[in-house]
Amino acid sequence: MIYTPQQFIAHYAPYAVACMQQTKFPASVSLAQAALETGWGKAAIQNNLFGVKADSSWTGPKQLVVTTEILSDANYPFPEVISCTKRADGKYNYVCKDWFRVYLNEADSFADHAQFLKVNSNYKDIEDMLAQWVDGGAEKVCDALEHDHYATGVGYANTLKSIIHYFKLNQYDDAALTPHLVMNNIPKGDENLQANGNNGIG
């Protein structure tokens, strides 16, 4: 499914708000991550909106997908390496295939993304932030995601923050924290878009 940014936000905002109400993970960050990881819906992998890989803890369905990574290791054991090129900073650009989680629907993707961050010890500082939410918490979560290597791309946190600020995604954090405002403040989007529950590949 191809969305404009406004359609993408309108379609996924209810999922992000509901997830924040259940898990405390900021709706603004999950919307920005979903937009960035999928190119505004162009490259969602079987409802996997957050690029969550199928690590050893995952027992559900998975799909082998071509991806790009930036790593310090020249011999990382991906299932298949298509190319590995050394960068000027000493790191390596990989084009490779790796396993990604597959979800039955979009709601499951939002829920598992938040759960993945909660149970993975690499993201313990994010869990601590969510337990003591304060204004500006979304930006701190963005910084923590980059610091904890959620993605290998350079400038991940600043890109997320730019998306949040440009599209005023903080309003959805406010909506999640003020439940009686949710239905009034969240745009519904196009009904035809909302009816299509699969934005995946294949």
Side-chain angles (χ1 to χ4, degrees), residues 1-33:
M1 175 67 69
I2 298 176
Y3 297 94
T4 66
Q6 290 75 16
Q7 289 172 327
F8 184 95
I9 293 166
H11 180 66
Y12 288 111
Y15 295 101
V17 169
C19 186
M20 183 175 181
Q21 289 171 340
Q22 295 167 4
T23 68
K24 297 185 179 180
F25 190 84
S28 60
V29 180
S30 61
L31 283 170
Q33 277 196 283

Side-chain angles (χ1 to χ4, degrees), residues 34-47:
L36 180 58
E37 295 289 341
T38 67
W40 297 103
K42 294 183 181 70
I45 304 163
Q46 298 286 18
N47 292 315

Side-chain angles (χ1 to χ4, degrees), residues 53 62 70 86 114-115 134-135 200:
K53 292 186 177 181
K62 59 185 180 180
I70 303 172
K86 192 170 185 178
Q115 180 67 9
V134 295
D135 288 342

Side-chain angles (χ1 to χ4, degrees), residues 7 13 44 49 51 63 78 102 116 125 142-143 155 164 192:
Q7 289 172 327
L49 299 166
Q63 181 172 333
F78 289 108
V102 170
F116 172 78
D125 50 349
C142 292
D143 290 332
I164 290 170
N192 293 325

Side-chain angles (χ1 to χ4, degrees), residues 152-165:
T152 60
V154 177
Y156 190 73
N158 285 337
T159 302
L160 292 177
K161 291 177 192 177
S162 294
I163 295 171
I164 290 170
H165 292 158

Side-chain angles (χ1 to χ4, degrees), residues 36 41 66 90 92 173:
L36 180 58
V66 175
Y92 296 86
D173 298 338

